[in-house]
Amino acid sequence: MIRSELQGLRALAVIFVIINHAFPNYLPGGFIGVDIFFVLSGYLITLMLLETSNKKFTTYLKDFYSRRIRRILPSALLVILVSTIASSLLLGPVVASDTARDGIWASLFLANIHFNNLSIDYFQSELPLPILQHYWSLAIEEQFYLIWPILLYVFLRKGLPIIVGIGLVTFASLIYSIIELINSAPTAYFGTLTRFWELGIGAILALRKIPQNRFISTTSLGLLILLAFIYSSQTQFPGVAALAVTTLTASFIATSTSNSTIAAQPFVYVGNISYLLYLWHWPILQISRLYTEVTGLITALLVTATFLMSILTHHLFEKPIRYSQLLTKSNKRTLFFGLFGTSITLLTMVSLR
């Protein structure tokens, strides 16, 4: 069970992102919600891996990837399918074809590489942004999940200094991120190696015990909210600006056990559906904007629709699959289910190209 205040932090992160995408003038730096998610993911995944690291290597990996498949894959594929079909019905063959192409990369969790190759500028592009562009961050997380479990297991089994190892990799990734940002390369934003350090900070945090401090956790939370208002599309990001966000996020996570500031039940519930809110919000907003002129009132209704879709998907689709006894009792069935679902999605995307 994830701590309530961390679910609350997830809620805050996804609210940042949604407001930034729906009403950018009100929260110009809301994109930092993704960076908060990165640190949280590195932290929580490392805790999970440490709890199961005493198992045989094959069992350890099968258990981990089976849980990831049940948690991540069904909803991700569902939104890709619905978004592409909606694009085909509402926006015509050209947009549908482009979305299907993007859906192929998104289904394979390689969207960040794809959008990087297209040289898409997250902040400055004058062209309509892709309907599945937000899958870039999911791709980075999944690529991290491919590497980190193996490295962590090797470190633990060989008695290597984990903190030193991940610390060096994290620092090298940060430096690379800064260099790419200076060079104005799209890789700075979409690259796995330029973002690895953010998840690495979370991983390091999971390996250390830090005394609780309510003042530090509350201050960190307040400063994160402040940065969401101060940062904008003109901010050089990620680089040093992201370092401030990730440091404050780590500070909050490390010292927040006794802090109930965002541990209230409404925040926890939004945190529970934060993944679905992230998946649904961008296609709903972007398809609507490409289909017709969208006013502030309509945008507010679209955000409401995002919450309704996320709630319905959570209770009627996500949870039944994630906790299905048929899948939880068999890693082989889960792996087959993941392969089958991905194959169906890819075939659909190819047919719509």
Side-chain angles (χ1 to χ4, degrees):
M1 188 71 177
I2 300 174
R3 286 157 32 194
S4 296
E5 72 277 4
L6 298 189
Q7 288 296 75
L9 185 61
R10 273 182 171 168
L12 185 69
V14 79
I15 289 170
F16 278 174
V17 173
I18 291 174
I19 294 177
N20 175 252
H21 288 161
F23 305 101
N25 292 333
Y26 291 101
L27 200 68
F31 55 83
I32 68 171
V34 171
D35 304 87
I36 294 172
F37 277 126
F38 281 158
V39 179
L40 267 170
S41 294
Y43 175 74
L44 294 171
I45 289 301
T46 302
L47 285 181
M48 180 191 301
L49 290 169
L50 289 172
E51 290 174 356
T52 59
S53 60
N54 59 336
K55 297 181 179 180
K56 286 177 55 179
F57 182 64
T58 53
T59 304
Y60 160 86
L61 287 182
K62 286 179 182 178
D63 286 350
F64 174 74
Y65 291 123
S66 293
R67 286 196 299 269
R68 290 295 87 200
I69 287 172
R70 292 192 297 270
R71 173 71 180 96
I72 300 294
L73 197 59
S75 297
L77 296 179
L78 173 68
V79 174
I80 290 170
L81 286 167
V82 172
S83 299
T84 307
I85 292 170
S87 298
S88 179
L89 295 174
L90 299 174
L91 303 177
V94 175
V95 176
S97 178
D98 288 345
T99 304
R101 175 204 61 195
D102 298 342
I104 292 172
W105 290 88
S107 299
L108 298 172
F109 292 100
L110 296 171
N112 64 316
I113 297 172
H114 169 58
F115 293 126
N116 182 65
N117 290 338
L118 293 178
S119 297
I120 288 176
D121 191 321
Y122 185 88
F123 294 114
Q124 305 298 337
S125 178
E126 295 179 359
L127 299 173
L129 294 172
I131 290 165
L132 296 175
Q133 179 179 286
H134 61 316
Y135 274 74
W136 72 268
S137 63
L138 300 182
I140 286 175
E141 288 197 13
E142 294 306 310
Q143 291 157 26
F144 175 80
Y145 297 158
L146 284 176
I147 300 168
W148 181 229
I150 298 170
L151 285 178
L152 182 62
Y153 193 90
V154 170
F155 282 147
L156 291 171
R157 281 292 186 273
K158 300 297 183 181
L160 300 173
I162 305 173
I163 292 290
V164 175
I166 190 64
L168 289 173
V169 173
T170 298
F171 181 72
S173 173
L174 172 60
I175 297 302
Y176 180 52
S177 171
I178 294 171
I179 292 172
E180 288 295 274
L181 189 63
I182 293 172
N183 293 332
S184 299
T187 306
Y189 202 90
F190 291 119
T192 304
L193 297 180
T194 56
R195 292 287 191 160
F196 188 98
W197 65 271
E198 300 186 48
L199 293 119
I201 286 177
I204 292 171
L205 189 63
L207 299 168
R208 306 296 297 174
K209 295 290 184 182
I210 300 174
Q212 297 303 298
N213 189 304
R214 185 179 177 85
F215 174 77
I216 291 177
S217 63
T218 303
T219 302
S220 299
L221 188 63
L223 289 174
L224 279 172
I225 295 172
L226 182 62
L227 289 182
F229 284 97
I230 293 175
Y231 284 1
S232 71
S233 60
Q234 303 305 311
T235 303
Q236 291 295 303
F237 205 88
V240 175
L243 180 60
V245 176
T246 53
T247 301
L248 290 170
T249 301
S251 176
F252 176 82
I253 294 171
T255 61
S256 64
T257 301
S258 59
N259 193 331
S260 59
T261 308
I262 57 172
Q265 192 56 42
F267 272 105
V268 172
Y269 184 78
V270 173
N272 290 340
I273 63 170
S274 60
Y275 175 56
L276 290 167
L277 286 168
Y278 183 80
L279 287 178
W280 280 119
H281 87 281
W282 183 249
I284 289 174
L285 289 171
Q286 195 65 359
I287 289 173
S288 300
R289 288 165 175 166
L290 292 173
Y291 181 71
T292 187
E293 184 177 349
V294 175
T295 64
L297 176 59
I298 292 176
T299 300
L301 292 174
L302 292 173
V303 171
T304 302
T306 297
F307 273 83
L308 291 175
M309 282 292 291
S310 300
I311 291 169
L312 289 173
T313 308
H314 177 64
H315 291 287
L316 301 179
F317 184 80
E318 182 184 57
K319 286 181 69 176
I321 293 176
R322 184 179 181 184
Y323 299 110
S324 164
Q325 291 190 3
L326 185 68
L327 296 178
T328 55
K329 289 184 176 180
S330 171
N331 288 336
K332 287 184 178 180
R333 277 197 292 265
T334 297
L335 295 171
F336 176 78
F337 170 78
L339 181 62
F340 178 76
T342 302
S343 299
I344 292 297
T345 305
L346 288 171
L347 288 173
T348 305
M349 296 302 103
V350 170
S351 68
L352 292 172
R353 282 284 284 150

PDB file of all heavy atoms in Angstrom, residues 75 77 88 120 146 204 214 219 223 248 268 326:
ATOM      1  N   SER A  75      -4.507  -0.115 -19.694  1.00  0.00           N
ATOM      2  CA  SER A  75      -5.046   1.236 -19.861  1.00  0.00           C
ATOM      3  C   SER A  75      -4.291   2.007 -20.933  1.00  0.00           C
ATOM      4  O   SER A  75      -4.886   2.779 -21.708  1.00  0.00           O
ATOM      5  CB  SER A  75      -4.985   1.994 -18.534  1.00  0.00           C
ATOM      6  OG  SER A  75      -5.797   1.369 -17.560  1.00  0.00           O
ATOM      7  N   LEU A  77      -2.849   0.790 -23.643  1.00  0.00           N
ATOM      8  CA  LEU A  77      -3.289   0.311 -24.950  1.00  0.00           C
ATOM      9  C   LEU A  77      -4.713   0.756 -25.250  1.00  0.00           C
ATOM     10  O   LEU A  77      -5.041   1.102 -26.400  1.00  0.00           O
ATOM     11  CB  LEU A  77      -3.187  -1.217 -25.009  1.00  0.00           C
ATOM     12  CG  LEU A  77      -1.775  -1.806 -24.884  1.00  0.00           C
ATOM     13  CD1 LEU A  77      -1.833  -3.325 -24.929  1.00  0.00           C
ATOM     14  CD2 LEU A  77      -0.846  -1.275 -25.969  1.00  0.00           C
ATOM     15  N   SER A  88      -9.695   8.960 -36.373  1.00  0.00           N
ATOM     16  CA  SER A  88     -10.143   8.517 -37.685  1.00  0.00           C
ATOM     17  C   SER A  88     -11.569   8.979 -37.962  1.00  0.00           C
ATOM     18  O   SER A  88     -11.889   9.427 -39.078  1.00  0.00           O
ATOM     19  CB  SER A  88     -10.065   6.989 -37.766  1.00  0.00           C
ATOM     20  OG  SER A  88     -10.522   6.518 -39.015  1.00  0.00           O
ATOM     21  N   ILE A 120      10.293  17.264 -32.593  1.00  0.00           N
ATOM     22  CA  ILE A 120       9.162  18.019 -32.052  1.00  0.00           C
ATOM     23  C   ILE A 120       9.633  18.818 -30.845  1.00  0.00           C
ATOM     24  O   ILE A 120      10.302  18.290 -29.959  1.00  0.00           O
ATOM     25  CB  ILE A 120       8.006  17.070 -31.661  1.00  0.00           C
ATOM     26  CG1 ILE A 120       7.347  16.522 -32.924  1.00  0.00           C
ATOM     27  CG2 ILE A 120       6.983  17.786 -30.781  1.00  0.00           C
ATOM     28  CD1 ILE A 120       6.266  15.514 -32.676  1.00  0.00           C
ATOM     29  N   LEU A 146      13.257  -1.454 -17.656  1.00  0.00           N
ATOM     30  CA  LEU A 146      13.985  -2.542 -18.303  1.00  0.00           C
ATOM     31  C   LEU A 146      15.409  -2.666 -17.769  1.00  0.00           C
ATOM     32  O   LEU A 146      15.953  -3.768 -17.674  1.00  0.00           O
ATOM     33  CB  LEU A 146      14.031  -2.309 -19.823  1.00  0.00           C
ATOM     34  CG  LEU A 146      12.761  -2.586 -20.613  1.00  0.00           C
ATOM     35  CD1 LEU A 146      12.959  -2.204 -22.072  1.00  0.00           C
ATOM     36  CD2 LEU A 146      12.357  -4.058 -20.502  1.00  0.00           C
ATOM     37  N   ILE A 204      17.852   6.506  -5.468  1.00  0.00           N
ATOM     38  CA  ILE A 204      18.803   6.760  -4.380  1.00  0.00           C
ATOM     39  C   ILE A 204      18.059   7.010  -3.075  1.00  0.00           C
ATOM     40  O   ILE A 204      18.444   6.520  -2.006  1.00  0.00           O
ATOM     41  CB  ILE A 204      19.705   7.963  -4.724  1.00  0.00           C
ATOM     42  CG1 ILE A 204      20.633   7.609  -5.887  1.00  0.00           C
ATOM     43  CG2 ILE A 204      20.515   8.414  -3.507  1.00  0.00           C
ATOM     44  CD1 ILE A 204      21.408   8.788  -6.428  1.00  0.00           C
ATOM     45  N   ARG A 214       8.462  17.732   9.439  1.00  0.00           N
ATOM     46  CA  ARG A 214       7.244  18.311   8.872  1.00  0.00           C
ATOM     47  C   ARG A 214       7.512  19.658   8.221  1.00  0.00           C
ATOM     48  O   ARG A 214       6.945  19.976   7.170  1.00  0.00           O
ATOM     49  CB  ARG A 214       6.179  18.452   9.965  1.00  0.00           C
ATOM     50  CG  ARG A 214       4.836  18.947   9.433  1.00  0.00           C
ATOM     51  CD  ARG A 214       3.795  19.043  10.532  1.00  0.00           C
ATOM     52  NE  ARG A 214       2.552  19.577  10.014  1.00  0.00           N
ATOM     53  CZ  ARG A 214       1.615  18.862   9.438  1.00  0.00           C
ATOM     54  NH1 ARG A 214       1.768  17.554   9.292  1.00  0.00           N
ATOM     55  NH2 ARG A 214       0.506  19.421   8.992  1.00  0.00           N
ATOM     56  N   THR A 219       7.505  22.856   3.452  1.00  0.00           N
ATOM     57  CA  THR A 219       8.213  23.877   2.673  1.00  0.00           C
ATOM     58  C   THR A 219       8.495  23.374   1.259  1.00  0.00           C
ATOM     59  O   THR A 219       8.325  24.119   0.280  1.00  0.00           O
ATOM     60  CB  THR A 219       9.536  24.266   3.364  1.00  0.00           C
ATOM     61  OG1 THR A 219       9.261  24.745   4.683  1.00  0.00           O
ATOM     62  CG2 THR A 219      10.270  25.344   2.578  1.00  0.00           C
ATOM     63  N   LEU A 223       7.133  25.094  -2.178  1.00  0.00           N
ATOM     64  CA  LEU A 223       8.045  25.565  -3.225  1.00  0.00           C
ATOM     65  C   LEU A 223       7.751  24.898  -4.567  1.00  0.00           C
ATOM     66  O   LEU A 223       7.903  25.527  -5.630  1.00  0.00           O
ATOM     67  CB  LEU A 223       9.498  25.317  -2.805  1.00  0.00           C
ATOM     68  CG  LEU A 223      10.005  26.207  -1.665  1.00  0.00           C
ATOM     69  CD1 LEU A 223      11.399  25.766  -1.228  1.00  0.00           C
ATOM     70  CD2 LEU A 223      10.023  27.678  -2.085  1.00  0.00           C
ATOM     71  N   LEU A 248      13.283  19.130  -4.654  1.00  0.00           N
ATOM     72  CA  LEU A 248      12.153  19.424  -3.772  1.00  0.00           C
ATOM     73  C   LEU A 248      11.222  18.220  -3.651  1.00  0.00           C
ATOM     74  O   LEU A 248      10.695  17.933  -2.564  1.00  0.00           O
ATOM     75  CB  LEU A 248      11.381  20.638  -4.293  1.00  0.00           C
ATOM     76  CG  LEU A 248      12.091  21.991  -4.177  1.00  0.00           C
ATOM     77  CD1 LEU A 248      11.331  23.065  -4.936  1.00  0.00           C
ATOM     78  CD2 LEU A 248      12.237  22.379  -2.701  1.00  0.00           C
ATOM     79  N   VAL A 268      -6.005  11.505  -2.157  1.00  0.00           N
ATOM     80  CA  VAL A 268      -5.595  10.114  -2.318  1.00  0.00           C
ATOM     81  C   VAL A 268      -6.346   9.473  -3.486  1.00  0.00           C
ATOM     82  O   VAL A 268      -5.758   8.749  -4.302  1.00  0.00           O
ATOM     83  CB  VAL A 268      -5.830   9.315  -1.025  1.00  0.00           C
ATOM     84  CG1 VAL A 268      -5.587   7.822  -1.248  1.00  0.00           C
ATOM     85  CG2 VAL A 268      -4.916   9.824   0.093  1.00  0.00           C
ATOM     86  N   LEU A 326      -7.178 -14.597 -12.358  1.00  0.00           N
ATOM     87  CA  LEU A 326      -6.690 -15.358 -13.500  1.00  0.00           C
ATOM     88  C   LEU A 326      -5.283 -14.938 -13.879  1.00  0.00           C
ATOM     89  O   LEU A 326      -4.441 -15.763 -14.260  1.00  0.00           O
ATOM     90  CB  LEU A 326      -7.640 -15.155 -14.692  1.00  0.00           C
ATOM     91  CG  LEU A 326      -7.338 -15.980 -15.950  1.00  0.00           C
ATOM     92  CD1 LEU A 326      -7.580 -17.456 -15.676  1.00  0.00           C
ATOM     93  CD2 LEU A 326      -8.190 -15.497 -17.111  1.00  0.00           C
TER      94      LEU A 326
END
